Amino acid sequence: MGKSTGFTEFIRQVPARIPVKDRLKNYQEIYLPWSEELSKNQGARCMNCGIPFCHSGCPLGNLIPDWNDLVYRGEWKEALDALHSTNNFPEFTGRICPAPCEAACTLNINNDPVTIEYIEKAIADKGWDEGWITPHPPTWRSGKSVAVVGSGPAGMAAAAQLNHAGHLVTLYERSEVIGGLLRLGIPDFKLEKNVVQRRVDQMAAEGVTFVTNAHIGQNVPVAELKQKFDAIVLTGGSTVPRDLDVPGRELDGIHPAMDYLTMQNRINTGTEFPDSERITAEGKHVIILGGGDTGADCLGTAHRQGALSVHQFELLPEPPVERNDNNPWPQWPQILRSSSAHEEGGVRDYNIQTKSFTGFDGQVTKLHGIRLEWGPPDETGRPSMKELEGTEFEIEADLVLFALGFLHPEKNGMLDDFGVELDGRGNVSTNTDRMTSVPGVFAAGDMHRGQSLVVWALAEGRQAAHGVDKYLMGTTELPAPLAG
């Protein structure tokens, strides 16, 4: 423990954000750098608890008290080593993780938690700035080959771990760039893409082979992978979006959120789209359905595109500002959260059900909704929902974005061709080592778990790598962060 009184001397401080009027002019990351002194003071707040509950909040099992103490002592390279021992890509989680570790921080019982996420980001960024993060190819090769399908965080983590274990790894991606939703789904103002690319470059220098525009089950047959590789890891994500079956859904101007976000990310890298195909909020009244992180990403993007107005509607009630009694520490707090996009503008509203859309000449112009009242749970345990008579309304809507989450992975093509069993939710079923019902075929990340967080995807990828290495070699020294 670096400073036994640190948590009484220093208040929680997070990096300053670029002023709203300035950051809306571009898609650059919104946070200003931390000073080393501020990072050290924040590390000093860690109490090095006898039982570090922050570990229980982190799927990766990050050694949080260790590297907090090392930062406080100014031992940054050692802090980076400790961080990399459990997390392949801390600069990703340090930017876009909602930090369940902080929710479980002991200080969070009656104080503000330690700034774990931003200390993590500071360590990783210093590692890159100082040139400490360099390629480290394996010193031997096992002679075994592995295909990883899907280059999101789960696929990247599995590929990195398996390559470090000495296997020859080929990572397939159906898009034109590596990174999955890190690259195409998450806006640049949260995660600039050079942050992803430098890890891709490092992995390539370490011996991982990347193949883009490779849609397994479409332009690359499943049989080809089975013939060429000793093991296969499926990390294609949960990509079937939840839709809304209401009158008027067929009108132009209504889109899944991910179609909107990926198009803007491609535009940011120089891809051009005809005006007739481009999805833009410029000069429009925008409605976002869904109050989660993806909805907030749409909100921030719409602000930067020059929307006339933006409303974000949520079916459920507004969360409380503080924990309810039935949601105690160290559980994840079910409370109201505001992202950087919310301080940029827009209106959030709750208890709203969309009834229909109407339009003119095939283009959506209005959303028709009604307000809801939520009652006690019904026989299924779910809260009962009732429409409030007389609360019907309509609102202008030139662009409607569905940020309603994802149902399950795509089944037609790759999953059908592999013949893997699915669970009751339509996700790929696996054992604890992430092997599917087909020997030698593994699955990890959202494709196995369902839609979840980047930190869970990284843990899933590392778990699958552990299972693959054990399958190929009979034993493994790769860590298994997840018990099941």
Side-chain angles (χ1 to χ4, degrees), residues 260-311:
Y260 174 67
L261 294 172
T262 56
M263 179 174 286
Q264 184 57 56
N265 276 352
R266 286 186 164 104
I267 290 170
N268 290 346
T269 61
T271 303
E272 296 183 358
F273 293 89
D275 290 343
S276 60
E277 297 179 11
R278 186 169 178 181
I279 309 171
T280 179
E282 183 178 1
K284 295 179 180 178
H285 298 287
V286 180
I287 306 292
I288 302 166
L289 300 183
D293 288 340
T294 301
D297 292 347
C298 291
L299 179 64
T301 302
H303 292 324
R304 284 158 178 78
Q305 290 179 344
L308 287 180
S309 68
V310 188
H311 286 75

Side-chain angles (χ1 to χ4, degrees), residues 410-471:
E410 298 170 31
K411 301 171 186 176
N412 295 335
M414 182 178 74
L415 295 185
D416 283 345
D417 290 352
F418 272 113
V420 294
E421 290 183 2
L422 306 178
D423 64 19
R425 296 184 300 156
N427 300 317
V428 180
S429 182
T430 75
N431 64 15
T432 55
D433 282 338
R434 298 301 178 262
M435 192 184 317
T436 70
S437 58
V438 179
V441 178
F442 296 74
D446 290 1
M447 182 165 272
H448 156 70
R449 181 181 174 81
Q451 182 188 359
S452 192
L453 305 174
V454 166
V455 67
W456 270 106
L458 294 175
E460 285 269 329
R462 289 170 65 91
Q463 183 78 13
H466 167 92
V468 170
D469 192 40
K470 186 165 65 174
Y471 168 78

Side-chain angles (χ1 to χ4, degrees), residues 252-396:
D252 291 339
I254 303 175
H255 305 276
M258 209 48 63
D259 290 356
Y260 174 67
L261 294 172
T262 56
M263 179 174 286
Q264 184 57 56
N265 276 352
R266 286 186 164 104
I267 290 170
N268 290 346
T269 61
T271 303
E272 296 183 358
F273 293 89
D275 290 343
S276 60
E277 297 179 11
R278 186 169 178 181
I279 309 171
T280 179
E282 183 178 1
K284 295 179 180 178
H285 298 287
V286 180
I287 306 292
I288 302 166
L289 300 183
D293 288 340
T294 301
D297 292 347
C298 291
L299 179 64
T301 302
H303 292 324
R304 284 158 178 78
Q305 290 179 344
L308 287 180
S309 68
V310 188
H311 286 75
Q312 188 175 8
F313 291 157
E314 171 60 62
L315 184 76
L316 298 172
E318 181 175 354
V321 176
E322 297 182 351
R323 292 176 184 266
N324 287 324
D325 292 341
N326 62 354
N327 179 215
W329 174 91
Q331 293 179 1
W332 175 251
Q334 305 294 331
I335 59 174
L336 180 66
R337 287 181 169 78
S338 296
S339 73
S340 62
H342 292 116
E343 70 182 18
E344 296 167 359
V347 177
R348 282 195 280 184
D349 209 345
Y350 299 85
N351 298 311
I352 290 177
Q353 184 172 41
T354 300
K355 300 295 289 184
S356 64
F357 302 101
T358 55
F360 177 76
D361 199 22
Q363 168 67 42
V364 67
T365 57
K366 290 184 185 297
L367 177 148
H368 302 264
I370 191 168
R371 295 196 174 273
L372 302 172
E373 182 177 66
W374 293 89
D378 58 21
E379 61 276 4
T380 68
R382 296 178 178 178
S384 57
M385 182 183 77
K386 182 177 73 173
E387 295 181 358
L388 289 176
E389 187 176 349
T391 65
E392 299 87 352
F393 69 94
E394 62 181 42
I395 185 172
E396 287 187 82

Side-chain angles (χ1 to χ4, degrees), residues 2 34-46 64-80 82-83 115-116 118-124 126 132:
W34 253 5
S35 68
E36 284 199 20
E37 180 181 5
L38 185 55
S39 300
K40 290 180 179 181
N41 291 345
Q42 293 303 294
R45 297 186 71 236
C46 180
I64 296 164
D66 297 48
W67 38 261
N68 280 337
D69 178 61
L70 289 165
V71 166
Y72 168 71
R73 297 178 182 277
E75 298 174 10
W76 287 87
K77 196 170 187 305
E78 292 77 6
L80 180 65
L83 189 50
T115 53
I116 298 169
Y118 298 112
I119 294 173
E120 182 176 14
K121 176 181 180 294
I123 295 169
K126 188 171 181 64
W132 298 333

